[in-house]
Amino acid sequence: MSVAEGKLGKERARMFLLAYLTYGAYYLARLNLSVALPSMALELEYSKVVWGVMGGSFSAVYGIGQIVNGRLAEHLGAKKVITAGLLLSAFSNILFGFAKTAEAMVILWTVNGYAQSTGWPSVVKIVSELMDRSSIGKAGGIFGTCFLVGSTFSLLFSGCIVSRFGWRAAFTFPSILITLHAFLFYICEGRWKTASKKAERDPPDEPIKGSIFTIEVIFIVAAYVSLQFVRSGFGFWAPAYIFEVHRTTLEYASYGAAIIPLGGLTGAIFSGWISDRFFAHRRTTVIFAMTMFLSFILLALHLSVNVEFAAKVILLFFGGLALYGPHVMLSTILPIDYGGRYGAANMAGLIDGMGYLGTTIADPLVGLVIDSMGWNGATIFWTASSICATSLSYALWRIERKKVQLL
């Protein structure tokens, strides 16, 4: 390997790491609401429907913003979109921490939803230009853990802040950190020149024309929407679920919820690696198997309301593993497979955006279900969503299998 090639590899590795840490940083100003929610509910005495509407409005704007920002990242570049998004998220979080009314909180969290939507399409664009096409599954699986690492750190960090300084501080401290990171990203990304110029000289993969109208993409989006229903449960409601069902302290509830993304780390890396290593880049086989496993885990979770806390944590770990494996493949690896390197931001924005538009309905609906039927009703809803994702994944597997047989 020549000196130039070695230098290029190091620059790409640095940029991969920077993109990884940048998207993880977004979660500091996102999952802090989930951890602060139990304390906010006790102090402010709003119904769960109000919190569900807040989560749903976030998801609606986040979903639309993903589609819009996928296009912006292609035209303006990831650097500008990410920097502006991080700063806007920090600003809205600071104001949220000082808000006094439900209306103000909903508006500010909705603004934060748009700010957060700048992240995923932009980092997928960056990383897609760095990947070796023969190892997209493995590299995409590794990169897909960025939001899991961000989730884990955010849950632990926010739990520590809330328990020591109160829930309003959970929106101030992250704002400071992501503001600093925004400037760090802007400076470091500006120094990365060689690898980006090399990527521009390489002939880009031709995007699949009309792919957004194919039955595969429709099924991918529908399966992702179904998994987002489950993910919203694990992400938005998990600390409150543990806090209320097991009567733990808020700090321990956040620690229990943090086991979910830790399981997801294993699932994300494993799913990408095994699809490259044993299934010749055929992703749908792995997606189908893992969504089926997720359905069984959620059914066990529903039937184990009165089990010990430690046993529930084990179930949550495997739930995270079975959820985030197919989730990462649908949101990270398949957009690159289907969209090509220069269309990856568009595909990622479309898939992830539609998924979050789906949670616009799910979040307030789950809040209503919990208020009327308790947590058992919520686990039934999440199990049914997983079964739906399994059915759609099976349909995708059948389509892919027929294509392979025709080759």
Side-chain angles (χ1 to χ4, degrees):
M1 182 174 64
S2 67
V3 175
E5 288 175 337
K7 183 178 179 181
L8 178 62
K10 290 180 180 179
E11 287 172 342
R12 288 184 170 180
R14 292 191 191 104
M15 195 60 206
F16 187 95
L17 179 61
L18 179 63
Y20 187 101
L21 295 175
T22 296
Y23 194 70
Y26 272 89
Y27 275 75
L28 291 171
R30 180 170 171 178
L31 286 188
N32 48 350
L33 176 61
S34 298
V35 176
L37 188 58
S39 293
M40 294 173 69
L42 289 174
E43 178 181 324
L44 302 175
E45 298 183 344
Y46 300 148
S47 72
K48 286 185 173 60
V49 174
V50 172
W51 305 118
V53 169
M54 190 178 298
S57 64
F58 177 99
S59 298
V61 175
Y62 185 87
I64 296 170
Q66 288 261 35
I67 299 171
V68 172
N69 288 312
R71 299 294 298 176
L72 287 178
E74 296 288 355
H75 293 289
L76 299 180
K79 178 180 179 178
K80 293 178 181 178
V81 174
I82 286 175
T83 304
L86 285 172
L87 293 176
L88 180 60
S89 184
F91 182 68
S92 60
N93 264 260
I94 288 176
L95 293 181
F96 188 95
F98 291 98
K100 303 295 183 182
T101 66
E103 293 81 4
M105 289 180 175
V106 169
I107 292 172
L108 289 168
W109 206 245
T110 302
V111 172
N112 189 42
Y114 180 79
Q116 290 280 320
S117 74
T118 61
W120 188 245
S122 301
V123 295
V124 169
K125 174 178 171 57
I126 292 172
V127 173
S128 69
E129 295 170 350
L130 306 173
M131 288 183 182
D132 184 339
R133 303 294 291 175
S134 65
S135 59
I136 284 178
K138 183 172 68 174
I142 292 172
F143 185 77
T145 64
C146 63
F147 64 87
L148 299 168
V149 172
S151 297
T152 303
F153 183 78
S154 178
L155 289 169
L156 297 175
F157 179 73
S158 297
C160 180
I161 294 298
V162 171
S163 65
R164 288 162 174 76
F165 303 104
W167 66 264
R168 293 187 185 274
F171 299 95
T172 303
F173 283 83
S175 299
I176 297 171
L177 292 179
I178 66 170
T179 298
L180 294 174
H181 188 86
F183 289 109
L184 175 67
F185 172 82
Y186 190 86
I187 294 170
C188 292
E189 201 278 345
R191 294 177 179 176
W192 178 65
K193 298 295 183 182
T194 305
S196 63
K197 290 179 180 178
K198 174 65 168 57
E200 289 171 3
R201 288 196 298 268
D202 288 341
D205 294 337
E206 192 70 28
I208 302 172
K209 294 181 179 180
S211 63
I212 59 173
F213 302 110
T214 65
I215 193 67
E216 294 100 319
V217 173
I218 293 172
F219 282 169
I220 287 169
V221 170
Y224 187 74
V225 169
S226 299
L227 284 180
Q228 279 293 93
F229 290 170
V230 182
R231 188 190 171 201
S232 73
F234 279 1
F236 189 75
W237 294 106
Y241 170 77
I242 297 171
F243 180 75
E244 294 184 12
V245 171
H246 291 279
R247 307 293 181 184
T248 65
T249 65
L250 180 58
E251 188 170 5
Y252 276 97
S254 68
Y255 295 160
I259 201 69
I260 297 171
L262 286 177
L265 283 169
T266 306
I269 296 173
F270 173 77
S271 63
W273 172 78
I274 199 173
S275 70
D276 278 348
R277 181 69 176 81
F278 295 106
F279 295 99
H281 314 297
R282 293 193 291 272
R283 320 294 182 191
T284 58
T285 304
V286 180
I287 293 172
F288 171 55
M290 296 191 78
T291 51
M292 182 183 295
F293 181 48
L294 175 63
S295 299
F296 284 114
I297 292 294
L298 288 169
L299 181 61
L301 194 67
H302 171 69
L303 297 175
S304 61
V305 175
N306 297 319
V307 302
E308 293 295 325
F309 177 66
K312 186 66 66 67
V313 168
I314 293 173
L315 282 176
L316 290 175
F317 174 85
F318 282 105
L321 184 151
L323 168 64
Y324 285 108
H327 184 279
V328 165
M329 297 192 77
L330 289 166
S331 64
T332 308
I333 300 171
L334 288 186
I336 299 172
D337 282 341
Y338 277 75
R341 294 192 180 194
Y342 279 50
N346 286 328
M347 289 299 297
L350 172 66
I351 294 171
D352 209 33
M354 292 302 296
Y356 275 91
L357 286 175
T359 60
T360 303
I361 301 172
D363 282 338
L365 178 60
V366 169
L368 181 62
V369 167
I370 295 171
D371 278 342
S372 59
M373 300 174 59
W375 288 106
N376 274 342
T379 56
I380 290 173
F381 175 78
W382 296 325
T383 303
S385 299
S386 180
I387 293 172
C388 182
T390 303
S391 301
L392 291 163
S393 301
Y394 176 74
L396 278 168
W397 174 75
R398 296 268 303 190
I399 292 171
E400 186 177 62
R401 186 182 179 188
K402 288 180 180 179
K403 284 185 175 182
V404 172
Q405 290 174 345
L406 292 174
L407 295 177

